[in-house]
Amino acid sequence: MVESRRGASARAPRTNFESASHRIVLGDCVAEMSKLQAGSVDLVFADPPYNLQLKGDLKRPDESHVDAVNDDWDKFDSFSAYDDFTRAWLLAARRAMKPSATIWVIGSYHNIFRVGAIMQDLGFWLLNDIVWRKTNPMPNFRGRRFTNAHETMIWAARDEKAKGYTFNYEALKAANEDVQARSDWLIPLCTGEERLKGADGKKVHPTQKPEGLLARVLLSSSKPGDLVIDPFNGTGTTGAVAKRLGRSYIGFERDKAYAKAAEMRIAAVEPLPEDSLAPFMTAREAPRVAFSELIERGMIMPGTKLFDAKKKLGALVRADGAIMLGDKVGSIHRMGAVAQGSAACNGWTFWHVETKKGLKLIDELRAEIRAGMAAE
Ligand SMILES: C[S@@+](CC[C@H](N)C(=O)[O-])C[C@H]1O[C@@H](n2cnc3c(N)ncnc32)[C@H](O)[C@@H]1O
């Protein structure tokens, strides 16, 4: 935990994968975010006070006490005091955001409409509102309203003209049975082992969010190595997930006990293996590699023969990057099509070179070049 009292600037984050760092700044998020380097943050996730306006104790019909949010940090004198606070922290977050960064704010009917309007007034550009549907919501004990079974997350870009924000569309689709990911997410409340408890067995924090929710947020709108901040750190759910997913993290928290619990929680998290986090790349997004590059890089010599998988056909590699099959000359794709008597062919997945270990697809050689490009 870093107690920031002296007003020293937070240094610009290094954003490569290995240097991912995670820290919690103890203090008021408006003052402390103002010390971050302007335009240094890739993603903001904010779970602010909801201003629940609970009057007195909430009781069940049998008069037993309901463990609801009734903490001082959630209380504001008026809607306008809440709005002033919301404007202040949103401005501080926006200043720290890169032009391509995005922000998520979670809330309930108590506050989310005010937050959304203020975001628009400040120039944020709303991209989606995500409905987090709770599989296990708390019942409405008085039976005078519908069960409150969801919360809303606003996802927004820094401004209307923001370009290049991260949205891992293809990866989300692949993870969703190849169907576009939807804006309603069905995720349980944070319970059981995941819920932080004190020595007295009581919840450490009244509003700990589920890691599954934060994982979806971070996986959809950030990349490994990105800097993620959370102005309202609480138990550090965002930080724990950021660390697991190879993102850097700075959380801000006013309450010392919460900050301490969060620090221990995040310290115990092991990042996932780098391979399992590498950004998803579709064939369309992968950098283009021409067949001639394999020759230029000495991976295939002119005069070498390329073979089909059964080694029935052989084509000669020419110095200019074309190949010759019988008396016909053309690209790896054209000659692959000729070899099969078909209209089209992906030559990368048809032709092989001979190695000591047997035939090797030329697509594997292309993958080696691409891997080298990614590391450069
Ligand atoms: C809704 S909770 C966040 C819970 C968190 N998402 C989690 O999963 O544990 C809001 C947190 O913000 C903190 N907080 C409220 N006002 C703050 C401020 N001005 N600066 C920093 N932290 C603040 C509260 O102490 C509380 O822990």
Side-chain angles (χ1 to χ4, degrees):
M1 185 189 334
V2 182
E3 284 206 44
S4 185
R5 300 251 180 267
R6 284 170 292 131
S9 289
R11 265 189 288 134
R14 286 187 296 157
T15 51
N16 81 41
F17 191 88
E18 291 79 18
S19 69
S21 64
H22 313 90
R23 67 193 172 98
I24 295 166
V25 178
L26 186 63
D28 172 62
C29 66
V30 179
E32 298 305 332
M33 279 195 290
S34 308
K35 297 172 191 168
L36 291 177
Q37 184 176 307
S40 60
V41 167
D42 296 286
L43 186 75
V44 181
F45 178 85
D47 178 11
Y50 285 13
N51 191 21
L52 291 178
Q53 306 133 40
L54 294 178
K55 309 257 187 302
D57 257 8
L58 190 56
K59 299 239 171 78
R60 296 187 178 86
D62 65 1
E63 288 296 298
S64 61
H65 172 78
V66 177
D67 191 8
V69 183
N70 199 14
D71 303 67
D72 285 345
W73 55 257
D74 197 59
K75 294 194 175 110
F76 292 80
D77 289 341
S78 60
F79 283 136
S80 87
Y82 184 77
D83 292 353
D84 289 346
F85 164 73
T86 301
R87 226 172 272 114
W89 76 257
L90 277 169
L91 277 172
R94 191 161 187 266
R95 189 195 135 276
M97 288 165 71
K98 289 181 181 170
S100 60
T102 59
I103 179 169
W104 294 76
V105 188
I106 186 165
S108 61
Y109 70 87
H110 307 86
N111 68 329
I112 201 69
F113 300 105
R114 312 189 78 80
V115 171
I118 292 169
M119 288 177 82
Q120 288 184 318
D121 289 347
L122 294 180
F124 288 101
W125 191 249
L126 306 199
L127 299 168
N128 274 122
D129 64 324
I130 300 291
V131 172
W132 164 32
R133 266 186 70 204
K134 301 169 184 178
T135 52
N136 49 350
M138 202 196 278
N140 182 273
F141 293 108
R142 293 198 181 117
R144 301 187 45 109
R145 300 186 189 184
F146 295 101
T147 298
N148 224 343
H150 77 277
E151 292 187 27
T152 302
M153 290 188 288
I154 294 175
W155 181 43
R158 200 173 172 280
D159 58 65
E160 183 182 355
K161 304 232 156 40
K163 288 212 170 63
Y165 64 82
T166 299
F167 180 49
N168 299 317
Y169 172 80
E170 294 289 354
L172 290 166
K173 189 173 164 186
N176 190 40
E177 316 261 322
D178 282 329
V179 177
Q180 278 193 348
R182 294 163 48 119
S183 62
D184 49 346
W185 300 359
L186 196 63
I187 295 175
L189 287 167
C190 174
T191 53
E193 288 285 292
E194 194 184 316
R195 189 92 204 197
L196 258 59
K197 306 248 172 57
D200 55 3
K202 290 194 176 142
K203 293 176 202 165
V204 166
H205 196 288
T207 69
Q208 183 179 337
K209 295 294 178 291
E211 293 194 2
L213 185 76
L214 268 299
R216 226 188 268 196
V217 166
L218 264 57
L219 287 169
S220 61
S221 55
S222 72
K223 297 193 280 286
D226 275 359
L227 174 61
V228 178
I229 67 166
D230 185 337
F232 306 100
N233 178 83
T235 57
T237 310
T238 312
V241 175
K243 185 173 177 191
R244 185 165 303 119
L245 298 178
R247 277 76 166 157
S248 286
Y249 176 72
I250 306 175
F252 303 87
E253 175 55 57
R254 225 166 40 175
D255 183 295
K256 218 172 191 163
Y258 292 159
K260 187 82 205 139
E263 196 177 51
M264 285 165 65
R265 176 185 186 186
I266 295 170
V269 170
E270 281 294 329
L272 289 169
E274 206 169 320
D275 282 357
S276 67
L277 297 173
F280 184 93
M281 200 183 278
T282 59
R284 230 179 325 131
E285 291 166 330
R288 194 173 172 277
V289 175
F291 178 65
S292 58
E293 283 183 54
L294 271 57
I295 302 170
E296 286 157 13
R297 289 173 186 246
M299 296 167 96
I300 294 183
M301 302 305 286
T304 307
K305 276 207 153 181
L306 300 185
F307 299 100
D308 67 320
K310 293 198 173 139
K311 222 177 160 188
K312 284 194 174 151
L313 295 162
L316 187 84
V317 176
R318 291 161 41 107
D320 58 11
I323 63 172
M324 191 156 83
L325 183 67
D327 59 353
K328 294 196 170 62
V329 175
S331 70
I332 51 169
H333 309 300
R334 187 75 224 115
M335 291 302 100
V338 168
Q340 297 174 92
S342 57
C345 161
N346 179 350
W348 291 107
T349 52
F350 180 75
W351 295 110
H352 303 69
V353 281
E354 188 151 40
T355 70
K356 283 185 192 141
K357 292 185 183 158
L359 290 182
K360 181 174 186 173
L361 257 187
I362 59 171
D363 202 33
E364 290 177 42
L365 301 177
R366 178 171 69 160
E368 287 170 26
I369 295 181
R370 281 180 171 159
M373 287 172 163
E376 277 159 19

